Amino acid sequence: MRADKFVAYLRVSTARQGRSGLGLDAQREALRNYLANTGGRLLAEFVEVESGKRSDRPELQRAIRRAKASGARLLIAKLDRLSRNAAFLLQLRDSGVRFVAADLPTADETVVGIMAVIAQREREMIAQRTREALAVARKRLAKEGRRLGNPNGAEALRRAAKGNSAAVARLTANANGRAETFRDAFADIDPAGGMSLRALAEELNHREIEAPRGGLWHAGTVARVRARLANAPINAQLAAAQ
């Protein structure tokens, strides 16, 4: 039975800490202890030099993509390194990545999900208060013989309906989103884009990065993902794979 796989995410708040390593040593020690106790394997490490108040963390997004692509779990040294921003918690929950904190192993994606639910509840309460305020405004305007909003809004929505084409667009968007998961891996393995499809597939399999639908990579799978990442016709890529 193979050991569990992990992708580590570490964060320091300032560029000075990033250069000096201040704070990173303690985080790495926590990660090493966790992996030693669980027998896990570390596939990759991503270090973010960023303010905890921001939720647009590129290194975290890279870590999430690598974890999802490898079928690994995202490992964070300390739970307090996660942003307390509600939007960030919802983003982490909705990413679908499995998550665990080294300093509090029970605080996994389930705990983050609970935190996100609480944040979502607060958003719903705000929305409810907004609806109530709008209702009061409508009554006041009605007394004055006026209406709130655009009376032709519903008709505009009907004109915008696209039927089956909208469903196709959603499927395409989902496939493109899955392809984005592998952009970093493709760039790391083949930065110049000159490797053959078969060679790239072999290296992806060697790195234990799972294909979009799970399992192993093949030349055709690489061709499809590469085409989507390049926004190029897929048929041409498949023809080259033959």
Side-chain angles (χ1 to χ4, degrees), residues 7 21 23 25 34-35 58 66 73 78 82 89-90 95 112 130 145-147 162 176 205 216 226-227 237:
V7 171
D25 289 342
Y34 179 86
L35 293 171
R66 179 61 190 274
R73 178 171 290 190
K78 294 186 177 182
L82 283 173
L89 292 173
L90 291 169
S95 72
V112 172
T130 301
R146 294 185 293 164
R147 296 180 63 182
K162 300 183 184 299
N176 290 340
N205 291 331
L216 298 177
R226 181 181 276 177
Q237 292 282 339

Side-chain angles (χ1 to χ4, degrees), residues 19-68:
R19 290 192 299 269
S20 67
L22 183 63
L24 291 178
D25 289 342
Q27 292 182 62
R28 288 194 175 105
E29 181 65 21
L31 295 177
R32 282 194 293 269
N33 290 338
Y34 179 86
L35 293 171
N37 291 333
T38 61
R41 293 187 297 123
L42 185 63
L43 298 184
E45 174 188 288
F46 296 86
V47 178
E48 193 94 70
V49 180
E50 186 56 271
S51 166
K53 296 180 181 179
R54 297 182 57 183
S55 59
D56 55 335
R57 302 178 186 173
E59 289 304 307
L60 178 61
Q61 294 308 314
R62 292 187 64 202
I64 289 174
R65 289 195 294 269
R66 179 61 190 274
K68 293 173 72 173

Side-chain angles (χ1 to χ4, degrees), residues 64 76 127 137 158 185:
I64 289 174
I76 285 184
R158 283 193 291 270

Side-chain angles (χ1 to χ4, degrees), residues 6-27:
F6 294 91
V7 171
Y9 172 73
L10 303 88
R11 188 188 70 81
V12 289
S13 299
T14 66
R16 181 179 179 182
Q17 284 183 323
R19 290 192 299 269
S20 67
L22 183 63
L24 291 178
D25 289 342
Q27 292 182 62

Side-chain angles (χ1 to χ4, degrees), residues 191-229:
M195 289 182 67
S196 70
L197 299 174
R198 187 179 300 277
L200 183 52
E202 291 176 353
E203 182 59 24
L204 288 165
N205 291 331
H206 176 72
R207 296 192 183 193
E208 300 184 36
I209 295 176
E210 298 177 357
R213 298 184 181 277
L216 298 177
W217 289 83
H218 303 282
T221 320
V222 172
R224 292 185 181 90
V225 172
R226 181 181 276 177
R228 291 191 181 281
L229 292 177

